[in-house]
Amino acid sequence: MWDEYVDNHFQGSLFHTRLWQETVKAVFGHSEHSIMLLDNKDGRPVVKGLIPLFRIRSFLFGDYLVSVPFAEQGGPLADHESLRIRLVDLAGEKLKKNNLDYLEMRNVDPLPDLLCKDLYYGFQREILSDLEDNLMAIPRKSRRMVRQGMKNNLQIAVGSHLLPEFYAIMARNFHGLGTPIFPYSWFSGLMESFQENCLLLLVKDEKGNHIAGVMSFFYKNRVMPYYAGSLVEYRNLAPNDFMYWKLMEYAWEKGSRIFDFGRSKIGTGSFRFKTHWGFEPRSLAYQYVLHKKDELPDLSPNNPKYQSKIKTWQRMPLSLTKIIGPRISRYLC
């Protein structure tokens, strides 16, 4: 009933599905407090709205509810706005009952009278029916980088068997950014949960070295590159532009109609990369209900108070960050 409602709701996302919730619980162990509104129609229950909720308990980052962990979207889905507001009220009751710090909802469209943070922007556009038109729709400078990758004889490899190579790239990428890496089980869990709707695509150079990779999801009519990384010493080969073009080509062949480039913070390299590809940013409405806090939480790496910790993490040996990182990243949702 839950997934049928999500599948049919115009704002239902992959992150609202039971598969995402169950994978979060299985890998990270966060407790679920989701709410579903039911009505009775001809003697059978009918879903009228829902909100996936998880409690995150961290000594470092607080004790709060979030919809949804490790996701760019979440928040309440309902038949109409008054029921969305009702879901927020019910979530607020859980917040107070458990004496938690705050509730965070990763909405696409804002709800009235709620605190909102202008932090993330989403990027998406239509995949055109003609493959060459999609290439020509990429602005000239980025299109030149795609062709540069082709000239450098970059190749792609696809398949779940590439997860160890992908994780090695991601671990080095996260280390360079000063961010704790997720556990291997998170990526393997997502692949096991979503099966053919989770694609692992890696880029290889002429010598067969894996130099970039992206984990993407297919949901409804869209492809969503969600986790991606590349090795900095190979950036001159243009693996990133080449990789996303090959993913778009793969999605076009699969019949996807929307290329969902995910979220980025304004002012970051990924934000600029996506705009250079011709994607228009759209502000995401991350909204909050505060209880034990007096101001909006700021867990962003851009927060000045985390800068020294980031630099310390970057100086740590990579091998050590792969051990410690997964223990911390479970709270960086």
Side-chain angles (χ1 to χ4, degrees):
M1 290 173 63
W2 179 289
D3 278 342
E4 183 179 1
Y5 188 81
V6 172
D7 290 343
N8 290 311
H9 196 283
F10 75 103
Q11 284 192 336
S13 72
L14 172 112
F15 310 109
H16 286 94
T17 65
R18 291 307 309 160
L19 279 176
W20 191 269
Q21 321 309 320
E22 294 298 338
T23 308
V24 167
K25 286 195 292 185
V27 175
F28 297 107
H30 297 309
S31 60
E32 186 177 6
H33 297 263
S34 301
I35 303 168
M36 185 163 60
L37 297 178
L38 297 175
D39 197 2
N40 191 291
K41 183 178 181 180
D42 300 328
R44 63 183 183 88
V46 177
V47 181
K48 305 298 288 183
L50 55 84
I51 180 170
L53 284 173
F54 281 81
R55 181 178 181 177
I56 310 299
R57 307 174 70 174
S58 167
F59 173 76
L60 293 173
F61 306 113
D63 192 356
Y64 60 97
L65 290 173
V66 61
S67 178
V68 185
F70 311 102
E72 67 178 51
Q73 294 180 31
L77 300 178
D79 287 3
H80 45 79
E81 190 165 279
S82 64
L83 288 180
R84 288 184 73 204
I85 294 171
R86 174 61 178 153
L87 285 163
V88 175
D89 290 341
L90 289 170
E93 290 176 13
K94 286 179 176 280
L95 184 69
K96 294 174 182 177
K97 180 180 179 181
N98 292 283
N99 199 29
L100 308 183
D101 295 336
Y102 61 90
L103 162 67
E104 175 182 303
M105 292 164 291
R106 297 170 182 179
N107 299 326
V108 175
D109 294 325
L111 280 164
D113 304 322
L114 290 178
L115 297 170
C116 192
K117 183 187 291 184
D118 184 20
L119 177 64
Y120 285 104
Y121 287 76
F123 298 80
Q124 60 182 7
R125 78 167 188 225
E126 181 186 3
I127 299 176
L128 304 174
S129 58
D130 184 85
L131 184 59
E132 185 65 20
D133 288 344
N134 287 292
L135 182 60
M136 297 308 295
I138 303 171
R140 181 175 58 84
K141 289 185 178 180
S142 294
R143 189 167 67 248
R144 182 176 63 82
M145 296 301 288
V146 172
R147 298 194 188 281
Q148 187 66 33
M150 296 175 181
K151 290 179 181 177
N152 289 324
N153 297 316
L154 298 181
Q155 301 294 324
I156 64 166
V158 172
S160 58
H161 65 286
L162 297 167
L163 186 56
E165 290 81 1
F166 174 74
Y167 190 74
I169 292 171
M170 292 298 294
R172 285 188 56 187
N173 204 247
F174 274 50
H175 180 239
L177 294 171
T179 303
I181 183 65
F182 293 114
Y184 187 90
S185 58
W186 173 237
F187 298 104
S188 62
L190 289 172
M191 296 199 73
E192 183 177 348
S193 293
F194 290 96
Q195 299 288 320
E196 69 275 5
N197 291 317
C198 180
L199 174 74
L200 205 55
L201 184 151
L202 270 65
V203 177
K204 299 188 296 183
D205 68 2
E206 285 185 308
K207 297 180 180 179
N209 298 310
H210 294 96
I211 63 175
V214 57
M215 176 178 282
S216 305
F217 298 97
F218 293 86
Y219 182 69
K220 295 184 178 178
N221 64 343
R222 64 185 58 218
V223 58
M224 297 177 289
Y226 200 62
Y227 291 113
S230 61
L231 302 182
V232 65
E233 63 266 32
Y234 294 98
R235 293 283 173 86
N236 63 305
L237 300 179
N240 291 319
D241 293 274
F242 177 81
M243 176 175 70
Y244 287 117
W245 166 246
K246 297 305 288 186
L247 175 62
M248 186 176 288
E249 187 179 69
Y250 185 99
W252 175 82
E253 293 174 351
K254 191 178 175 71
S256 299
R257 296 273 63 90
I258 301 293
F259 195 93
D260 187 337
F261 228 152
R263 69 178 184 182
S264 291
K265 300 183 191 78
I266 191 167
T268 62
S270 63
F271 185 98
R272 291 188 291 271
F273 182 89
K274 293 168 186 179
T275 55
H276 290 163
W277 261 62
F279 285 71
E280 292 291 332
R282 178 191 178 187
S283 179
L284 298 175
Y286 282 24
Q287 296 188 277
Y288 298 83
V289 176
L290 303 182
H291 179 49
K292 291 176 63 178
K293 277 190 171 291
D294 297 323
E295 58 183 22
L296 292 178
D298 186 4
L299 305 183
S300 168
N302 294 335
N303 187 332
K305 76 176 186 179
Y306 295 128
Q307 293 308 303
S308 62
K309 295 180 177 62
I310 289 173
K311 291 177 181 177
T312 299
W313 194 264
Q314 290 170 325
R315 290 193 294 266
M316 291 175 62
L318 174 63
S319 58
L320 185 58
T321 65
K322 291 168 73 174
I323 297 172
I324 303 175
R327 302 179 185 182
I328 301 174
S329 63
R330 68 189 304 267
Y331 304 111
L332 301 176
C333 62

